[in-house]
Amino acid sequence: MGQPEQAESNGQVVLDEDVLAEPADPQDDHTPEPLPARSWRTRGDFIGLAVVVVGVLVASLVLWFTGDARNTVSQTGPTEVTPLVPVTAMPPSLSESWRAPSGATPAPVHLDSVVVTGDGGEVVGRDALSGEVRWRYARDWPLCTVTTAWGRVFAVHSKGTNCSEVTTLEVGSGKRGPQRNGDAEPGTRLLDEGSHVLTTGGDFVEVYRRDDLVRSLEYGTLRAIVNPNKQPRTGCTYGSFAVTGGKIALIERCPALDPSDRITVLKPNPEKSDEPQVISTTVTGEKNSRVIAVTATRVAVAVPGRIVVFDADTAALVASYPVDVSADELAGDPPGRVASTFTSTANIYWFTGSRTIALSPVDLNPLWTVEGTLGPGTTLAGHLLLPVATGLKVLDQVTGQEAGAIPVDRDGYTGPIEMATEGPIVLEQRGDTLVALR
């Protein structure tokens, strides 16, 4: 085989590609030697490496100073929790055990011997008996609301105009779980439907499903409309909400369409999140309506002087019951657009603003009323505790008869009170403060 042809160009040797494609002859002593490995230890190499390192450091610093991590405090605690044993006898007295600021909890938040408070931008898990801090989670944004659902704590922070950051936390340790950036309105509440959680709002509401917090429903005035003409009604506002398994009930006000308020029942998980599925809807014939409870078959709506019950699936009128509730008490919408209620195994208790009315959990008809209360109450040792000006009334849940009274010194506080119990601890949400009694 002949020697490969060579051509010189500016002092460089260029080998013919066809010749290079042929296998090398082992007897050919003119085979080019491999080029030595190039060293990168030149001044230019060091300059290039320095530029890359500086670029990475600058990017990391920018991410740190602008990202969420720098503005987040997450101090976790022990995972193990020991649920407190429910008491079986009513205590003869109750006095304050501890208190904490908690302006972001509309009602006491508690589970498995842990009481959760929320104030400013900070969520704190506390030992129910002592109030000592177990864990802490804080953002440099204000809290909108805190609640529990599916055995987890839900904390919603506002990043500006909306309550957009939803974070789940383990009850025992405070360790972060799934998070979601949503579009909830200021003043929102979270309602646990069982498999979904609803964010309330006056113009827009959304629903997240349990497993991964993926949005399953958007209802109202959407921020970004992908598929137009999918909402059943436009130009409406929403007054109050109630949920049960598979159903969301809400009061709609559509002045361009209806002469009065409308009660609507929605499915929380339609096939497409931006295409709501209406189970039933009808006008109430009244203004200042307020939905107070929904079950698998019934919806109870309060209107001035009455409780009106509709069939949840057909919107047919089922019954109308007279109650002593004035138009002034129903004027405006309830805080967070959620009626003040408490549900036990015996009844649903609705606080009107001046009295507590017990409703049947089956038919939603009123059973009995207690005047002069400060909230819907809670249960302890099988009895109903109702907050009143002097302390707590103890009532039989079936008859509504008073079985006793427990004085409580509230340091002059006379406003509405939401209550709960965790083992022997009685919790009172007094405005922006949570108080534990024992």
Side-chain angles (χ1 to χ4, degrees):
M1 179 182 296
Q3 296 298 321
E5 296 181 0
Q6 300 179 351
E8 293 189 5
S9 175
N10 297 327
Q12 293 184 344
V13 177
V14 180
L15 300 179
D16 185 276
E17 293 183 358
D18 293 334
V19 176
L20 286 176
E22 298 179 5
D25 188 342
Q27 302 300 320
D28 191 348
D29 57 1
H30 295 284
T31 303
E33 294 182 1
L35 295 174
R38 180 181 180 273
S39 173
W40 59 273
R41 298 179 181 179
T42 66
R43 183 171 180 271
D45 290 329
F46 280 111
I47 293 175
L49 179 61
V51 170
V52 172
V53 171
V54 170
V56 171
L57 290 175
V58 170
S60 299
L61 288 172
V62 170
L63 182 62
W64 170 251
F65 280 104
T66 61
D68 287 346
R70 177 177 177 267
N71 304 313
T72 300
V73 174
S74 181
Q75 299 173 354
T76 58
T79 302
E80 298 79 12
V81 292
T82 304
L84 298 176
V85 178
V87 298
T88 56
M90 193 65 59
S93 63
L94 288 169
S95 60
E96 183 173 322
S97 177
W98 57 269
R99 67 169 56 201
S102 192
T105 55
V109 178
H110 63 100
L111 188 67
D112 293 339
S113 77
V114 178
V115 176
V116 181
T117 58
D119 200 66
E122 184 178 68
V123 187
V124 179
R126 302 176 183 273
D127 180 271
L129 295 177
S130 66
E132 293 181 357
V133 175
R134 291 177 56 99
W135 53 263
R136 188 186 314 271
Y137 176 77
R139 298 282 286 111
D140 62 336
W141 300 101
L143 277 165
C144 295
T145 190
V146 180
T147 189
T148 58
W150 321 318
R152 289 179 282 181
V153 178
F154 276 66
V156 184
H157 286 86
S158 172
K159 287 187 173 182
T161 57
N162 292 330
C163 298
S164 56
E165 185 179 88
V166 181
T167 303
T168 62
L169 305 164
E170 288 186 1
V171 172
S173 67
K175 181 181 178 182
R176 276 178 290 184
Q179 293 179 286
R180 172 77 189 183
N181 282 323
D183 249 335
E185 296 180 4
T188 190
R189 297 277 182 91
L190 299 186
L191 299 182
D192 179 12
E193 168 268 350
S195 298
H196 303 80
V197 64
L198 165 77
T199 67
T200 66
D203 298 297
F204 172 77
V205 299
E206 54 190 356
V207 177
Y208 307 135
R209 69 189 187 195
R210 174 174 183 170
D211 297 333
D212 47 19
L213 295 189
V214 169
R215 184 188 291 116
S216 64
L217 173 65
E218 297 174 282
Y219 194 74
T221 305
L222 276 61
R223 305 298 194 273
I225 300 177
V226 178
N227 299 311
N229 303 320
K230 297 300 182 181
Q231 296 291 317
R233 281 167 294 280
T234 59
C236 304
T237 59
Y238 312 126
S240 52
F241 298 80
V243 298
T244 191
K247 290 181 170 66
I248 297 169
L250 68 153
I251 293 295
E252 294 190 77
R253 300 190 177 106
C254 312
L257 302 174
D258 303 323
S260 65
D261 295 344
R262 173 180 291 271
I263 178 67
T264 297
V265 179
L266 299 172
K267 187 176 181 180
N269 55 339
E271 292 184 4
K272 296 182 179 180
S273 63
D274 61 347
E275 297 184 19
Q277 182 176 339
V278 176
I279 298 174
S280 64
T281 186
T282 188
V283 292
T284 65
E286 297 278 353
K287 295 185 178 180
N288 292 333
S289 302
R290 184 172 299 183
V291 59
I292 54 177
V294 57
T295 69
T297 59
R298 299 284 187 268
V299 182
V301 177
V303 299
R306 292 181 297 148
I307 292 179
V308 185
V309 179
F310 298 91
D311 186 284
D313 294 318
T314 66
L317 178 63
V318 174
S320 178
Y321 304 100
V323 291
D324 190 13
V325 179
S326 67
D328 289 341
E329 285 185 292
L330 296 178
D333 296 318
R337 293 180 170 82
V338 180
S340 178
T341 63
F342 167 71
T343 301
S344 73
T345 56
N347 300 313
I348 299 170
Y349 302 97
W350 171 45
F351 174 57
T352 69
S354 62
R355 55 183 60 82
T356 299
I357 300 176
L359 306 176
S360 162
V362 178
D363 299 325
L364 299 183
N365 57 295
L367 301 173
W368 44 264
T369 300
V370 177
E371 304 286 341
T373 60
L374 300 176
T378 189
T379 53
L380 185 69
H383 288 78
L384 178 68
L385 298 181
L386 282 181
V388 293
T390 55
L392 298 170
K393 282 188 175 183
V394 182
L395 290 91
D396 182 280
Q397 292 196 74
V398 176
T399 64
Q401 294 297 311
E402 186 171 341
I406 303 175
V408 175
D409 181 7
R410 299 194 177 100
D411 297 326
Y413 179 82
T414 59
I417 296 174
E418 298 288 338
M419 299 183 64
T421 55
E422 185 64 39
I425 299 296
V426 176
L427 300 168
E428 290 192 346
Q429 182 78 42
R430 304 175 190 168
D432 293 340
T433 302
L434 182 73
V435 180
L437 306 172
R438 187 178 184 184

